[in-house]
Amino acid sequence: MRLHVSTPLALVLDAPDVRSLRAEDDTGGFGVLPGHADFLTVLSVSVLTWVDAEGHPHHLAVRGGVLAVRGGREVEVATPEAVVGEDLEELERSVLVRFREQARAEEVSRLGAARLQLAAMRQILRYLRPDQHGRPGAARPGHEGASDG
């Protein structure tokens, strides 16, 4: 099997003789062997481990991404960031910690942006809501409860 791992900026790995691959998605760990059915999944922040034709294991940390198996002979991984390393413990200790922190920070940022967008939409709707005379903008901040009396 051939394993390709790429980031938006580079081809990180092109391993032509992969005997087996172990990866992880949100449902847990899974394996891929030559002849595997076509498959597509979203990877977790995790370490991919593959065994080459000589039986040597290799490791690569990924910051999430997408894994696709095509034709039982090609495995392609697209990830925002990847680090190849032979020491599994070191990858898990340093790289995965950093990747998980980045993923948490991105999630906090996405939530903050979504909250700001919703607040802006609420303000626009308040401004556009007509008053008792059909004029827009009567419900602007600072004008609630004001009367034309």
Side-chain angles (χ1 to χ4, degrees):
M1 229 173 13
R2 178 175 224 107
L3 173 62
H4 296 271
V5 179
S6 61
T7 67
L9 300 176
L11 176 64
V12 176
L13 177 73
D14 182 8
D17 295 320
V18 174
R19 188 185 292 176
S20 66
L21 170 72
R22 179 128 178 91
E24 188 176 320
D25 62 14
D26 287 341
T27 64
F30 61 91
V32 177
L33 296 170
H36 195 288
D38 286 0
F39 180 66
L40 181 68
T41 190
V42 176
L43 297 172
S44 304
V45 171
S46 58
V47 173
L48 302 181
T49 299
W50 74 96
V51 177
D52 63 23
E54 288 80 39
H56 300 113
H58 304 276
H59 311 286
L60 174 110
V62 294
R63 189 165 58 98
V66 176
L67 178 143
V69 178
R70 294 196 173 98
R73 302 294 307 156
E74 297 282 331
V75 179
E76 296 178 5
V77 175
T79 180
E81 191 173 357
V83 176
V84 178
E86 294 304 315
D87 185 355
L88 179 59
E89 289 181 17
E90 177 61 26
L91 280 176
E92 289 178 339
R93 185 173 44 253
S94 64
V95 177
L96 285 185
V97 168
R98 181 170 53 92
F99 284 178
R100 287 185 181 119
E101 287 171 357
Q102 289 172 331
R104 278 192 289 276
E106 289 170 359
E107 182 63 22
V108 167
S109 178
R110 274 193 296 276
L111 288 172
R115 286 186 182 118
L116 283 173
Q117 186 177 19
L118 287 172
M121 290 169 51
R122 283 189 199 106
Q123 287 297 98
I124 291 168
L125 288 173
R126 268 191 215 113
Y127 180 79
L128 294 175
R129 188 174 298 131
D131 67 4
Q132 61 188 0
H133 303 289
R135 296 179 302 221
R140 284 181 288 188
H143 295 272
E144 292 87 20
S147 65
D148 287 342

